[in-house]
Amino acid sequence: DTGVSQDPRHKITKRGQNVTFRCDPISEHNRLYWYRQTLGQGPEFLTYFQNEAQLEKSRLLSDRFSAERPKGSFSTLEIQRTEQGDSAMYLCASSLTSGRQNEQFFGPGTRLTVL
Amino acid sequence: GQQLNQSPQSMFIQEGEDVSMNCTSSSIFNTWLWYKQDPGEGPVLLIALYKAGELTSNGRLTAQFGITRKDSFLNISASIPSDVGIYFCAGQFYNFNKFYFGSGTKLNVKP
């Protein structure tokens, strides 16, 4: 399977715990994006990387959130001291940066529930 | 942030009917994408549009990039039960940057 993969698919945690999610993009894609989606809404942008450089962060990404892409391949998104409002689907997408290949391809998402 | 107004919010149609939905923005976009999302899954890319006035098809789906660059339309012909899902539009200002998403159109198809 050569699509975007995310792990875990589901995470249930207690308020105050730290959680980390992983995204593996399509192998030749050098751009990687994180989005958050709450029930009944479309995805909202959080941050994106070109190779290992984090180029933009949304105001949604509070200081409890950190994302990394250390070798320009997979990425991790960590949420520290989780709050109930962090409950959402966290989506990862990847794209190329050449020609017209602007399309972003999404993974299956990680559903986070904070109790 | 940017607001994309997607309508209708939901639709109930009979199998075999055609469907139209649209997305409008107060801002001009360079790229429009249309996605379909099934429950518990990530969005799946359906159609990409890059030029004002562009009309692109993917099987029974046809999408158009509005002339004003502030809107886009998606049509589904001869709907079938597997078309059920939530359809999202997404607009982008600059190439390879983030997309802004609408809040979705939920499609229900009665067999």
Side-chain angles (χ1 to χ4, degrees):
Chain A
D1 184 16
T2 56
V4 178
S5 62
Q6 292 187 246
D7 184 68
R9 293 291 308 274
H10 304 274
K11 178 72 178 177
I12 299 174
T13 191
K14 290 184 180 175
R15 192 173 51 188
Q17 298 293 305
N18 298 345
V19 294
T20 300
F21 310 141
R22 176 179 168 125
C23 170
D24 286 89
I26 295 171
S27 59
E28 63 269 27
H29 285 187
N30 49 6
R31 286 239 170 163
L32 186 149
Y33 307 80
W34 285 99
Y35 289 82
R36 182 171 72 184
Q37 186 179 26
T38 52
L39 206 59
Q41 300 298 319
E44 289 180 290
F45 170 78
L46 292 178
T47 188
Y48 81 88
F49 294 83
Q50 176 158 322
N51 300 316
E52 64 276 5
Q54 188 172 18
L55 297 186
E56 186 176 349
K57 293 189 338 183
S58 161
R59 285 171 300 171
L60 292 175
L61 214 65
S62 76
D63 55 7
R64 295 185 298 106
F65 288 70
S66 62
E68 292 183 344
R69 195 183 182 198
K71 295 181 182 176
S73 56
F74 73 91
S75 175
T76 57
L77 177 69
E78 182 184 15
I79 309 174
Q80 295 183 324
R81 304 181 304 280
T82 51
E83 302 173 356
Q84 288 185 321
D86 297 331
S87 295
M89 174 82 95
Y90 290 84
L91 293 162
C92 175
S94 69
S95 75
L96 291 168
T97 54
S98 60
R100 283 178 45 156
Q101 300 301 315
N102 235 342
E103 294 100 347
Q104 293 183 11
F105 295 90
F106 282 86
T110 295
R111 166 76 62 190
L112 173 66
T113 303
V114 182
L115 302 175
Chain B
Q2 296 299 320
Q3 280 207 315
L4 293 186
N5 297 310
Q6 200 170 340
S7 66
Q9 280 190 326
S10 64
M11 307 178 73
F12 289 83
I13 62 167
Q14 203 71 37
E15 183 177 359
E17 288 182 353
D18 297 344
V19 171
S20 288
M21 59 190 78
N22 68 77
C23 201
T24 60
S25 167
S26 56
S27 304
I28 290 174
F29 286 123
N30 279 337
T31 302
W32 285 96
L33 302 182
W34 283 91
Y35 288 89
K36 177 176 182 266
Q37 187 174 28
D38 292 328
E41 299 296 327
V44 174
L45 182 64
L46 299 174
I47 292 180
L49 301 161
Y50 292 100
K51 214 161 101 170
E54 181 179 352
L55 190 70
T56 298
S57 293
N58 177 6
R60 293 178 296 105
L61 277 60
T62 302
Q64 184 161 24
F65 194 139
I67 292 290
T68 65
R69 294 169 62 195
K70 291 183 178 181
D71 54 10
S72 181
F73 308 88
L74 177 69
N75 296 315
I76 305 173
S77 62
S79 57
I80 58 178
S82 62
D83 291 334
V84 165
I86 302 178
Y87 292 80
F88 290 100
C89 61
Q92 183 190 56
F93 290 120
Y94 306 110
N95 285 348
F96 314 117
N97 284 346
K98 59 182 178 277
F99 278 87
Y100 295 91
F101 282 78
S103 53
T105 292
K106 187 171 183 180
L107 179 63
N108 298 278
V109 179
K110 292 185 232 176

